[in-house]
Amino acid sequence: MLTALNDEGKLISLVNVPKNLAKQKLSSHYYCPVCHEHLILKVGKIRIPHFAHKQFAKCSNSTTEPESPRHLLGKKHLYHHYQRNGFDVYLEYYLPEIQQRPDLLVKKGNHLYAIEYQCSPLPRQRLMERNAGYRKLNILPIWILGTKPYKKRKNKIFELSDFQFSLCTYTSKAGLTLLSYLPEKQTFLQLSKMTSLPSTKLIGLLQEIPLEKKFPPVHDLPFDFQTWLNEKRTWIQYKVYYGNLHNDLFLKEVYTTGHNPFLLPEICGLPLPHAHLIYDSPIVWQFYIYLDCLQEIPIGQKLSLKWVNQRILQRINNGMITIREFPLDFNNQYTWKVPISEYFSLLTSLEYLSKIGEDLFMIEKKVKIPKNTEEALIRENALFRRDILHSLYSNNH
Ligand SMILES: [Zn+2]
């Protein structure tokens, strides 16, 4: 902690205290603003000066202790960052109604934000409880990751952990975004415009923003179709060679319905702006849509999106499709139905369907199974050369 009460009951902060504060005491005693127990002022070599509870303290505020050196330092940097940007900043402000104490509470105009600087993974349940607390007080929580915003990186392809996914936000301007702050480099790392690849990896735009610099605008990321196709082919090969027919529900479904994983219709595995809302690869759920809703349906037949969603829901309930939840989407604006509806719009643009009502589509073209891998490649390449696919990512979505 960087704040404590002194003998006179006044809140003191270490945020502006230089590192060489040494033993120059600010007060003779320090007390926890939450439980009022004695605190120890720690001045060491590794961490910046901070307060700590005595061992075995039963304070609700001491559960996250000991704070790591990075956490303390990052919190201090962020404090100054928000202050410089014209916010009223309150360090470790205790909110008794919800018994929570965000790293920073910042205020601009009538808006209140709780800044949570998170250096270690937090279970989803805890994350959701903390968010719910803030929302009760009309405070918008902003989570900043204390480590890199990805688990693995290869050029512009990223892999995220479930914890990292859980801290992502979505805006129409920046797309799916995750923000980090690295105190040792005094730099923000922003990973935005993320879109799912067939392998459940993502393509994204990584920007390094030094602490004193303004955040630059996020530009559109042209979608790289060659990468997409490579990932798609690698994903299928990997499945076939290493997948287990007993545990792999997708593979099992492909074979038991008489299909060949290398000869799936070209419409199974198309990119969509909101594909990240479904945990499984787009190849998987688009194949199920083909099986459940499009296969063997004659040209001219009508089908409603509502009916399609019901079929998908069955697959979700059977555990064959897994939904990815984004706890920071407070309005529940983005559900799994979004990528399904995007998929149907795309199939309409590709002239497999026509839209004949608000929720109603008509089959225009039969979905074909390629006879051999050569034909599969030709069909896939032809589809991916279509302008429609390219325009999908240049528009704001
Ligand atoms: Zn305490």
Side-chain angles (χ1 to χ4, degrees), residues 4 18 35 44 63 72 75 89 111 116 123 137 142 163 168 189 206 259 265 285 318 341 351 357 362 364 374 382 397:
C35 70
T63 47
L72 285 164
K75 181 152 68 174
V89 190
H111 298 284
E116 289 276 14
L137 301 184
I142 293 175
F163 168 62
C168 287
L189 283 184
L206 185 67
H259 291 85
W285 61 264
N318 291 341
S341 140
E351 295 161 347
M362 191 164 80
E364 290 289 342
E374 205 178 17
H397 48 260

Side-chain angles (χ1 to χ4, degrees), residues 342-361:
E342 283 173 349
Y343 186 55
F344 271 70
S345 303
L346 182 59
L347 291 180
T348 304
S349 306
L350 292 169
E351 295 161 347
Y352 287 93
L353 303 171
S354 58
K355 194 171 177 176
I356 53 171
E358 175 80 14
D359 178 58
L360 210 58
F361 293 85

Side-chain angles (χ1 to χ4, degrees), residues 160-300:
L160 267 61
S161 66
D162 180 64
F163 168 62
Q164 288 164 336
F165 266 115
S166 73
L167 294 188
C168 287
T169 54
Y170 188 94
T171 60
S172 54
K173 253 192 200 157
L176 191 66
T177 301
L178 185 58
L179 183 64
S180 284
Y181 177 69
L182 305 180
E184 60 278 3
K185 291 175 84 181
Q186 302 206 16
T187 298
F188 286 101
L189 283 184
Q190 181 170 265
L191 183 56
S192 55
K193 290 272 168 183
M194 282 187 273
T195 46
S196 292
L197 285 167
S199 52
T200 72
K201 289 176 193 158
L202 304 126
I203 276 192
L205 173 70
L206 185 67
Q207 291 171 297
E208 286 196 23
I209 307 128
L211 189 60
E212 323 77 53
K213 292 275 160 66
K214 269 204 159 144
F215 271 62
V218 174
H219 59 80
D220 267 336
L221 198 60
F223 199 75
D224 178 349
F225 285 88
Q226 200 48 54
T227 303
W228 176 275
L229 278 177
N230 292 346
E231 283 284 317
K232 184 180 170 184
R233 286 159 193 166
T234 313
W235 186 87
I236 290 176
Q237 275 169 12
Y238 192 87
K239 271 263 159 207
V240 174
Y241 297 136
Y242 302 104
N244 184 319
L245 260 185
H246 295 285
N247 320 330
D248 196 311
L249 298 176
F250 167 72
L251 261 193
K252 212 162 152 178
E253 191 76 344
V254 168
Y255 288 121
T256 54
T257 55
H259 291 85
N260 175 338
F262 294 112
L263 302 178
L264 298 180
E266 68 274 18
I267 59 158
C268 300
L270 295 181
L272 297 163
H274 286 84
H276 56 267
L277 290 158
I278 300 178
Y279 173 85
D280 304 275
S281 159
I283 304 172
V284 171
W285 61 264
Q286 291 172 14
F287 176 68
Y288 295 152
I289 287 185
Y290 161 73
L291 275 189
D292 298 346
C293 311
L294 302 174
Q295 185 191 218
E296 286 165 17
I297 294 188
I299 290 169

Side-chain angles (χ1 to χ4, degrees), residues 1 32-37 39 53 57-62:
M1 287 185 275
C32 170
V34 178
C35 70
H36 298 281
E37 284 294 312
L39 294 177
H53 281 89
K58 283 201 186 96
C59 176
S60 65
N61 190 32
S62 69

Side-chain angles (χ1 to χ4, degrees), residues 122-185:
L122 189 71
R124 271 179 184 251
Q125 193 51 40
R126 293 267 312 279
L127 173 69
M128 283 157 85
E129 282 161 12
R130 287 214 220 159
N131 285 339
Y134 293 135
R135 298 307 287 157
K136 219 190 276 175
L137 301 184
N138 238 333
I139 298 171
L140 190 70
I142 293 175
W143 292 81
I144 302 176
L145 199 65
T147 49
K148 283 178 184 156
Y150 50 85
K151 197 170 72 180
K152 278 190 198 163
R153 177 191 179 184
K154 198 179 170 189
N155 299 322
K156 53 187 187 264
I157 301 179
F158 300 90
E159 269 181 76
L160 267 61
S161 66
D162 180 64
F163 168 62
Q164 288 164 336
F165 266 115
S166 73
L167 294 188
C168 287
T169 54
Y170 188 94
T171 60
S172 54
K173 253 192 200 157
L176 191 66
T177 301
L178 185 58
L179 183 64
S180 284
Y181 177 69
L182 305 180
E184 60 278 3
K185 291 175 84 181

